[in-house]
C-alpha cells in the first residue's frame, strides 16, 4: 500500500482540439467548467493551454488572462498553470519573451508556468516569470535538460521540476525517468518533482510516480484512454482512475 500520495495535477487540454476528443476544453468558460469538475474529481491544481479566438494556442495576455480569470472564479484558491511552449510563438524565443512580459499588466496572471528546458531562451523566460511572481515549472524531458537545470540558477528556486517523458514507449520512458531522477538525487536537488508520461507511457509513468511518492498529473493533454485502452469520457474520468491507483 502506498502511504503518501501527492496532489494530482489536471492537464486539461494541451495541444488537442475537439477533433481529438469532444470533451477537450478550449474557451475560458469551458476551461472553468473543466477545472471545477477536475477539482471535484480530486485534482489539486490545473495546467492548461489558453486559446485565441481561432482556437489556436496562445501566450498573448488577451487570451491568457481571461482563461486564468475564468478558472480562478470557478475554483477559488486553485493553483492555475499554463504552458509556454515555444511553438506558440513560431519558435521565436524573443517573441515569446516579449509576449510573456505583457502578462505583467494583467490582474489575473497564472500561478505557475511550465518552461521547457530543451527550448531556446528558457533561462531568460524563467527570469521574466520569476520577476512577475509567476512560479516556474522546469520542464525536463531528458538527462541533458536535467543537467541544464542543475547547471543554472533555477534548480532550487523553481516551483517544481516537471519530469516529462514525451514520445517514448513505456520501457524507455521508465528508464529515462530513473536516469533523470538519479541525476536530481545526486545533485541533492530538493525541489518537488512532478513525473508524468504522455501517450502510451502515461499510465506506466503515473504508476511509477505514485510508487515513488512524487507529484504527477493526468488529463486529456496526456492521454485519451484508460489503462486498458478504452476511450475515456473526460478529464474527470482520468483523474478518478488515477486516484484509484493510489490504494
Amino acid at each position: 500500500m502506498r502511504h503518501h500520495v501527492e496532489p494530482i495535477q489536471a492537464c486539461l487540454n494541451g495541444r488537442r482540439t475537439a477533433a481529438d476528443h469532444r470533451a477537450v476544453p478550449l474557451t475560458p468558460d469551458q476551461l472553468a467548467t473543466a477545472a471545477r469538475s477536475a477539482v471535484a474529481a480530486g485534482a489539486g491544481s490545473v495546467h492548461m493551454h489558453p486559446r485565441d479566438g481561432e482556437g489556436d494556442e496562445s501566450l498573448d495576455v488577451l487570451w491568457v488572462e481571461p482563461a486564468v480569470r475564468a478558472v480562478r472564479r470557478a475554483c477559488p484558491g486553485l493553483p492555475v498553470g499554463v504552458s509556454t511552449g515555444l511553438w506558440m510563438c513560431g519558435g521565436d524565443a524573443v517573441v515569446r519573451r516579449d509576449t510573456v512580459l505583457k502578462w505583467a499588466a494583467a490582474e489575473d496572471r497564472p500561478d505557475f508556468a511550465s518552461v521547457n528546458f530543451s527550448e531556446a531562451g528558457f533561462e531568460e523566460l524563467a527570469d521574466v516569470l520569476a520577476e512577475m511572481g509567476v512560479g516556474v515549472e522546469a520542464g525536463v524531458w531528458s538527462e541533458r535538460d536535467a543537467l541544464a537545470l542543475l547547471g543554472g540558477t533555477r534548480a532550487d528556486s523553481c516551483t517544481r521540476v516537471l519530469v516529462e517523458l514525451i514520445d517514448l514507449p513505456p520501457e524507455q520512458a521508465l528508464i529515462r525517468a530513473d536516469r533523470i531522477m538519479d541525476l536530481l538525487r545526486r545533485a541533492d536537488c530538493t525541489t518537488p518533482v512532478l513525473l508524468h508520461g504522455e501517450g502510451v507511457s502515461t499510465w506506466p509513468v503515473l504508476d511509477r510516480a505514485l510508487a515513488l511518492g512524487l507529484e504527477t498529473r493526468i488529463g486529456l493533454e496526456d492521454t485519451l484512454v484508460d489503462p486498458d485502452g478504452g476511450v475515456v469520457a473526460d478529464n474527470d474520468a482520468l483523474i478518478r482512475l488515477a486516484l484509484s491507483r493510489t490504494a
Side-chain angles (χ1 to χ4, degrees):
M1 181 176 180
R2 300 180 177 98
H3 300 289
H4 177 71
V5 178
E6 294 289 347
I8 287 183
Q9 183 182 96
C11 48
L12 299 177
N13 57 2
R15 304 178 74 173
R16 299 192 194 273
T17 70
D20 298 303
H21 193 294
R22 60 181 178 79
V24 173
L26 302 175
T27 68
D29 286 346
Q30 290 171 348
L31 288 165
T33 298
R36 187 187 297 112
S37 296
V39 170
S45 64
V46 297
H47 167 83
M48 60 189 185
H49 294 213
R51 299 306 214 276
D52 64 18
E54 301 299 319
D56 296 323
E57 296 166 281
S58 178
L59 296 181
D60 193 312
V61 67
L62 293 175
W63 307 107
V64 172
E65 184 176 25
V68 172
R69 181 184 299 122
V71 173
R72 284 238 176 88
R73 288 177 176 174
C75 308
L78 179 72
V80 180
V82 301
S83 172
T84 63
L86 190 58
W87 62 86
M88 297 186 205
C89 292
D92 191 320
V94 173
V95 171
R96 178 175 64 174
R97 179 203 64 199
D98 292 346
T99 301
V100 171
L101 273 169
K102 294 177 182 177
W103 295 2
E107 290 186 17
D108 289 287
R109 295 191 290 273
D111 295 294
F112 59 91
S114 59
V115 177
N116 297 324
F117 274 49
S118 60
E119 296 176 345
F122 70 85
E123 290 180 315
E124 187 174 14
L125 179 60
D127 289 342
V128 165
L129 291 165
E131 288 171 7
M132 285 191 289
V134 176
V136 174
E137 282 187 329
V140 171
W141 293 16
S142 66
E143 292 152 275
R144 181 178 179 179
D145 294 351
L147 291 172
L149 170 66
L150 295 170
T153 61
R154 290 289 163 198
D156 296 322
S157 62
C158 58
T159 299
R160 63 180 62 85
V161 180
L162 189 61
V163 178
E164 308 187 83
L165 290 311
I166 309 297
D167 296 328
L168 292 172
E171 184 177 355
Q172 291 182 28
L174 293 173
I175 290 171
R176 183 173 293 181
D178 289 343
R179 289 175 176 171
I180 293 172
M181 294 302 301
D182 186 56
L183 283 173
L184 297 176
R185 280 192 297 268
R186 286 194 280 120
D188 294 322
C189 180
T190 59
T191 303
V193 171
L194 189 157
L195 172 64
H196 80 95
E198 183 182 84
V200 294
S201 72
T202 298
W203 293 105
V205 174
L206 181 138
D207 285 340
R208 177 64 59 84
L210 295 175
L212 293 174
L214 299 175
E215 294 182 41
T216 190
R217 78 180 202 184
I218 196 72
L220 294 175
E221 173 173 355
D222 288 347
T223 186
L224 305 178
V225 301
D226 63 27
D228 297 321
V231 177
V232 296
D234 48 29
N235 282 299
D236 313 353
L238 287 169
I239 294 162
R240 288 191 292 268
L241 280 167
L243 289 172
S244 74
R245 300 171 81 79
T246 65

